[in-house]
Amino acid sequence: PLVCTDSGLVKIGILDKVRNLISNQFTPIIFDKTPSNPTEASVMLALEKYHAESCDGIIGLGGGSSIDLGKAVSIMVTHKGSLIDYSSNEGGSEKIKETPSLIAIPTTSGTGSEISSGAVIIMNDGRKLIFVSPNLIPNVAICDPDLTLDLPSIMTAGAGMDALTHCIEAVLSPMVDPPAEAVGLDGIERIFRKENLVKAVKDGSNREARWNMMMAA
């Protein structure tokens, strides 16, 4: 597999935790140059590594950026042309067909990209475009709140506010979707009313708060 991650997770040892759990019969190939906001250029660099090392699947390890980058790479592995051709902004969602297997392992509680059908990539022309397809939903999402215990308070706060915003959007959307509203209300309660975000920011080692934040995301 190609592991899409960032240098920060390499430095604090999260990558090693995951790599040590992968069977010795597999040699994971590491792409650790995911920027804070994934770009078209970084996607193409990762794609080049995917092909050069004859990879056959993708692991997105990190925040939404690493997972979104992995999704974009998966598009280009099995599709021709330019990445921009497949953005929903350009009417390309229907063009996204079969993609390689993708495992998502979030290390933040924020975007929820590990279970969503979407990704956001900054293109070479500066536009921030959306890619949406059922084929971009990861095959497996491994949500382990222990992976968020070492997340700095400022990143915990930012990711948590992102999760809260998504939950509020689910409730305020004019589309009628009672199950989505129920999920959104549950997330809002976990984050805001039960103050799990505040608890996680104040004490990053609070496992109960971290668990509730990951479920809310």
Side-chain angles (χ1 to χ4, degrees):
L2 177 72
V3 180
C4 297
T5 188
D6 63 69
S7 58
L9 292 181
V10 175
K11 289 177 182 177
I12 64 175
I14 296 293
L15 175 63
D16 288 336
K17 285 184 180 180
V18 173
R19 187 158 45 187
N20 291 339
L21 292 172
I22 297 176
S23 170
N24 289 333
Q25 65 181 305
F26 300 105
T27 303
I29 306 303
I30 311 302
F31 179 81
D32 60 3
K33 294 180 175 59
T34 303
S36 54
N37 290 292
T39 61
E40 181 180 4
S42 62
V43 170
M44 300 315 291
L45 279 175
L47 177 67
E48 185 178 328
K49 197 161 196 175
Y50 184 101
H51 287 309
E53 301 290 348
S54 300
C55 297
D56 59 2
I58 297 168
I59 297 175
L61 171 65
S65 295
S66 295
I67 297 171
D68 280 6
L69 182 132
K71 290 179 178 182
V73 172
S74 75
I75 294 173
M76 297 310 297
V77 166
T78 52
H79 297 74
K80 295 180 180 179
S82 172
L83 179 60
I84 200 170
D85 298 334
Y86 302 96
S87 72
S88 59
N89 310 71
E90 301 291 332
S93 294
E94 296 299 321
K95 299 177 184 177
I96 302 175
K97 305 301 181 183
E98 186 177 352
T99 54
S101 295
L102 172 63
I103 297 174
I105 309 175
T107 59
T108 66
S109 298
T111 68
S113 182
E114 65 272 11
I115 51 86
S116 82
S117 60
V120 178
I121 305 292
I122 298 176
M123 310 306 293
N124 291 336
D125 62 10
R127 287 187 295 166
K128 201 174 198 178
L129 299 187
I130 300 171
F131 297 81
V132 179
S133 169
N135 294 310
L136 296 181
I137 300 173
N139 300 81
V140 175
I142 301 174
C143 302
D144 183 353
D146 279 3
L147 293 177
T148 68
L149 293 175
D150 295 325
L151 197 67
S153 59
I154 186 67
M155 292 183 68
T156 299
M161 290 303 295
D162 195 4
L164 178 61
T165 301
H166 287 190
C167 290
I168 292 172
E169 286 175 338
V171 176
L172 295 185
S173 169
M175 294 183 67
V176 179
D177 191 341
E181 291 180 18
V183 171
L185 289 170
D186 178 76
I188 293 169
E189 181 175 29
R190 291 177 190 274
I191 297 169
F192 183 71
R193 194 172 74 82
K194 294 184 178 179
E195 297 188 343
N196 281 299
L197 177 53
V198 173
K199 293 173 184 175
V201 170
K202 288 183 176 179
D203 178 12
S205 64
N206 186 324
R207 278 183 158 79
E208 182 179 0
R210 291 292 193 183
W211 186 90
N212 276 288
M213 285 305 303
M214 184 153 278
M215 293 304 102

